[in-house]
Amino acid sequence: MADTQTTVALNIGSQRISMAVFEVSKSGGLVLKGYGSESVVADPALDASRIAQARVAISDLAQRLGVGKAKVRYAISGQAVFTRFVKLPPLQHDNIEQLVTFEAQQHVPFPLHEVVWDYELIEGATEKEVVIVAIKADALDEINGAVNDCGLTTSEVDVAPMALYNAFRSTYGQPEEAILLIDIGAKTSNLLYIEGKRFFTRSIAIGGSSITAAVAKEYGISFLEAEHQKISNGLVALGGGHTEQLDEALAALAMVIRNALSRLPAEIARTTNYYRAQHGGSAPRRVLLAGGGANLPYTLEFFQEKLNLAVEYFNPVGNLSIGKGIDPAVVQRDGHLMGELVGLGLRGIGKSEINIDLVPVVVEQSRAADRRKPYLIAAAAILLAGMGAWAVCVNVAALNAAEKAKNMGETRDSLAPVKSQIDALLKKEAALQQVAGAYRGAESDHAFWMDLLAELRGAFASDAVWLTDFEPIHGYDPLATAGPTSSDAKAKLGKSVVKGEFFNAPYDTSALADIKLEQPVPVQTKRGAPPKPLPTLVVTANAVRIKGFWRENPKSQNVVSELLKNLRDKSSSFRFTVKDAKGADVVLSDEQILDITVTGKAGDLGLEFEITLPLAREVAIK
């Protein structure tokens, strides 16, 4: 999945999680190369375990579709986000960012530093209008962690209604008549009003779970049993004696479902009135149905009866090309469920109308680091190119001087000063190259530590673990014997390169520990001449020691070891394979690098742990 033309799309719903793999066709469209879906329990009583269920489902889909460690674009449900359409006063284009931020502060019901938010200008409205989307940062981090735990990396984070809108535009274009797209999910239903370029959406807390809860209450059964009855025997009763031809038990179940679903047309009417009054829109003339809640028999006929409009199923796959190995019958059956996936696929090829991107903090840090790297590389390249050009000029001057000296032996003595100048320039070049090398090395070491800290933060992002100490180590040997009286114990533990009094040291005092390294003996070049200067010894760190506390988790005996797997799978700053005395590769086990306390005193809030991780390379400590 390393091909940049491949897009992995993931839709994280409340009850249904689906994934698709798209490639770009020769005509620039989408080709569906892989598709799969998994269900999770939508019981409100089990909400605490929904993230864990989603993690398992995403991992299964990733393995089934063979996406490995691919970058993924995923959509979260409209229920999880705050969405608001805001009209803006006339203003210059360069002031939009500032004004939208002000409007977000007024409308988002949380401080902006606690949320992740984005906006998009809406075309087609008579007044300038913007849609603002926000989600609590900790909620987004929880969802993003479930995705990343499956080996996937985050490319973009979209919202289900916006992805549906992009899929609609790709398939249906810009119809002039007003259209209402009803996406019935497990916990919420998304209403999308589309008219020309105009767009409005609202999420309503009525969905498939509402019907299941009504069945469970009516018959006094559990939520899971009610869900099974709804899927196996459920249908929507219609008016005009529709249930008279049914078995009495099925007819009663159909009426319960109808009564529960009847709340949705009332909310649709209320939303339509709001859309027409506040946003100048028109009443819908046609209705499209999407989502898993529209799968019950006679749902389409029910909305035709209640809304008195033409109703059909949403078909976002009309313009898709089907790749080999994909069953067209499955795509045809699940077409109205794939709108979010198609919308995410369009994001991957740059053909989406609305581009909301809710970027988690970890992803933003990674993007910032990636943005800095080209500039650093370019600066280093320019410096080297300039030095190289200067060196070429110096060499050309030297060659010209030598040629003239050869052809004009009589003037050789007069050119001696030129030779001295050239020699001085060469020495200056060598000094500048040494300075440039020092700058490159310092920037490389700086970027290394920043990347390392970002990896640690991402790997140990858990409310059950907190880090308290970070200590670079010199001379660490993970394979050395570490017995209480062994001479190799020091090699096993290494030597800290941070002074013990670091936190109390004056600002201009070095924080490096007093590491005693063997100094070479000065050598006299000639009798009475001063000794040659000794080379500068640089202290390097080849490992870091991390200390912290962990809180016992009833589902895991050792959460630290589980989080350590994140570094084993994705780290570029640490190495977990070392060479033994014979040169063979040895993979370090958790026991070799992890010292963890498994029991504590009464009242302890956490247990201590210590991890010593070998670095991928030795880093100079200055």
Side-chain angles (χ1 to χ4, degrees):
M1 293 298 166
D3 186 1
T4 57
Q5 297 299 310
T6 299
T7 297
V8 180
L10 172 64
N11 182 33
I12 306 176
S14 299
Q15 188 172 1
R16 186 174 186 274
I17 297 177
S18 55
M19 181 181 288
V21 180
F22 297 101
E23 290 185 358
V24 183
S25 65
K26 294 181 179 179
S27 61
L30 289 177
V31 179
L32 181 63
K33 303 295 290 185
Y35 167 69
S37 64
E38 292 284 344
S39 297
V40 297
V41 179
D43 188 347
L46 301 177
D47 271 351
S49 64
R50 200 177 75 82
I51 289 296
Q53 295 182 60
R55 184 182 293 106
V56 173
I58 295 170
S59 179
D60 290 345
L61 288 171
Q63 292 181 7
R64 190 189 314 167
L65 298 182
V67 297
K69 297 182 178 180
K71 287 189 175 182
V72 61
R73 291 176 169 86
Y74 65 87
I76 52 182
S77 68
Q79 166 203 1
V81 301
F82 171 85
T83 304
R84 181 62 57 89
F85 288 78
V86 179
K87 294 180 181 178
L88 301 177
L91 73 167
Q92 297 296 326
H93 185 76
D94 55 357
N95 294 328
I96 289 180
E97 185 81 27
Q98 183 178 358
L99 181 58
V100 172
T101 301
F102 173 78
E103 293 292 345
Q105 291 172 338
Q106 306 305 311
H107 291 91
V108 175
F110 306 101
L112 289 189
H113 69 271
E114 295 181 4
V115 302
V116 176
W117 69 283
D118 196 9
Y119 73 94
E120 183 82 8
L121 291 174
I122 303 299
E123 297 184 9
T126 54
E127 301 178 68
K128 191 176 290 293
E129 192 173 25
V130 64
V131 57
I132 299 174
V133 181
I135 182 173
K136 290 280 287 183
D138 52 357
L140 180 58
D141 289 340
E142 188 177 29
I143 296 172
N144 192 69
V147 175
N148 295 159
D149 288 346
C150 301
L152 303 171
T153 56
T154 304
S155 176
E156 291 175 330
V157 181
D158 206 342
V159 183
M162 310 306 169
L164 279 173
Y165 175 77
N166 287 329
F168 175 90
R169 285 295 186 208
S170 175
T171 307
Y172 294 85
Q174 295 182 358
E176 292 302 322
E177 63 177 345
I179 292 179
L180 171 60
L181 172 57
I182 306 174
D183 175 38
I184 308 175
K187 292 189 176 182
T188 58
S189 294
N190 297 316
L191 306 181
L192 281 74
Y193 292 82
I194 305 168
E195 181 181 359
K197 289 187 177 181
R198 189 183 304 231
F199 167 59
F200 176 77
T201 182
R202 181 191 175 203
S203 294
I204 299 173
I206 301 173
S209 295
S210 303
I211 298 174
T212 305
V215 174
K217 181 178 179 181
E218 178 71 19
Y219 292 96
I221 57 180
S222 68
F223 186 92
L224 293 178
E225 186 177 353
E227 179 73 13
H228 175 72
Q229 288 295 327
K230 182 186 75 173
I231 295 174
S232 302
N233 304 315
L235 54 87
V236 184
L238 303 177
H242 171 254
T243 59
E244 293 178 359
Q245 306 299 324
L246 300 176
D247 175 82
E248 182 177 351
L250 291 180
L253 178 61
M255 286 304 300
V256 173
I257 294 175
R258 176 186 175 89
N259 292 336
L261 196 58
S262 293
R263 296 168 51 202
L264 188 52
E267 289 294 332
I268 291 174
R270 185 178 295 109
T271 304
T272 299
N273 291 335
Y274 174 83
Y275 170 63
R276 297 180 65 184
Q278 300 297 323
H279 296 272
S282 304
R285 305 293 299 275
R286 185 156 59 106
V287 176
L288 301 176
L289 283 183
N295 286 339
L296 285 174
Y298 300 109
T299 301
L300 186 146
E301 291 79 3
F302 169 80
F303 281 101
Q304 284 179 333
E305 173 191 325
K306 288 291 185 179
L307 302 178
N308 196 26
L309 293 171
V311 182
E312 62 185 81
Y313 282 104
F314 182 43
N315 180 28
V317 299
N319 294 336
L320 280 184
S321 299
I322 308 301
K324 295 180 179 180
I326 303 296
D327 188 352
V330 173
V331 177
Q332 185 67 26
R333 181 195 66 199
D334 292 353
H336 65 290
L337 307 175
M338 298 176 63
E340 292 89 346
L341 296 176
V342 174
L344 292 168
L346 293 169
R347 291 284 295 270
I349 61 175
K351 292 188 176 181
S352 52
E353 298 285 337
I354 291 185
N355 300 289
I356 293 293
D357 189 9
L358 301 175
V359 185
V361 175
V362 174
V363 178
E364 180 58 33
Q365 290 175 343
S366 176
R367 290 182 180 179
D370 290 340
R371 287 193 296 267
R372 289 196 304 268
K373 287 180 180 178
Y375 294 105
L376 296 176
I377 294 173
I382 292 172
L383 179 62
L384 291 175
M387 305 249 336
W390 184 57
V392 169
C393 293
V394 171
N395 289 332
V396 170
L399 290 175
N400 290 338
E403 185 67 23
K404 289 181 179 179
K406 180 179 179 180
N407 297 332
M408 303 174 64
E410 66 277 7
T411 59
R412 182 174 302 170
D413 294 338
S414 64
L415 294 178
V418 176
K419 180 179 180 301
S420 299
Q421 293 176 4
I422 293 173
D423 291 339
L425 289 176
L426 290 174
K427 291 181 180 180
K428 187 175 181 181
E429 176 195 4
L432 288 176
Q433 287 179 341
Q434 184 176 4
V435 172
Y439 276 121
R440 290 196 302 273
E443 183 55 40
S444 175
D445 291 346
H446 172 265
F448 178 87
W449 288 118
M450 297 299 293
D451 292 343
L452 180 146
L453 291 173
E455 285 184 6
L456 287 177
R457 179 176 181 180
F460 287 91
S462 170
D463 58 356
V465 172
W466 61 100
L467 306 181
T468 61
D469 192 24
F470 177 91
E471 183 180 24
I473 301 299
H474 169 80
Y476 173 67
D477 181 5
L479 299 182
T481 304
T485 59
S486 172
S487 59
D488 290 337
K490 292 183 179 180
K492 173 64 178 177
L493 297 175
K495 176 76 173 179
S496 172
V497 296
V498 179
K499 284 185 175 181
E501 65 274 14
F502 169 70
F503 295 103
N504 298 321
Y507 179 79
D508 59 344
T509 301
S510 173
L512 295 181
D514 297 326
I515 299 179
K516 296 181 179 179
L517 300 176
E518 184 177 350
Q519 299 282 346
V521 179
V523 179
Q524 296 290 119
T525 55
K526 292 182 180 180
R527 185 175 181 181
K532 292 182 178 180
L534 296 177
T536 302
L537 295 176
V538 179
V539 178
T540 60
N542 69 337
V544 294
R545 183 165 295 131
I546 302 161
K547 298 179 181 180
F549 295 88
W550 67 289
R551 186 170 63 248
E552 290 182 302
N553 188 332
K555 296 184 179 180
S556 173
Q557 294 299 321
N558 189 342
V559 68
V560 182
S561 292
E562 292 182 3
L563 294 177
L564 192 57
K565 294 178 182 177
N566 296 333
L567 290 177
R568 287 186 181 275
D569 295 339
K570 297 179 284 189
S571 175
S572 61
S573 301
F574 301 105
R575 59 187 175 96
F576 294 89
T577 302
V578 298
K579 299 286 187 181
D580 61 11
K582 297 182 179 179
D585 289 336
V586 177
V587 178
L588 299 178
S589 64
D590 284 4
E591 290 76 14
Q592 290 175 290
I593 61 179
L594 173 61
D595 181 11
I596 185 165
T597 301
V598 296
T599 59
K601 296 178 294 185
D604 284 353
L605 297 179
L607 306 177
E608 296 183 5
F609 72 90
E610 178 179 300
I611 302 176
T612 306
L613 299 172
L615 298 178
R617 64 179 178 87
E618 292 197 358
V619 184
I621 305 297
K622 300 180 180 178

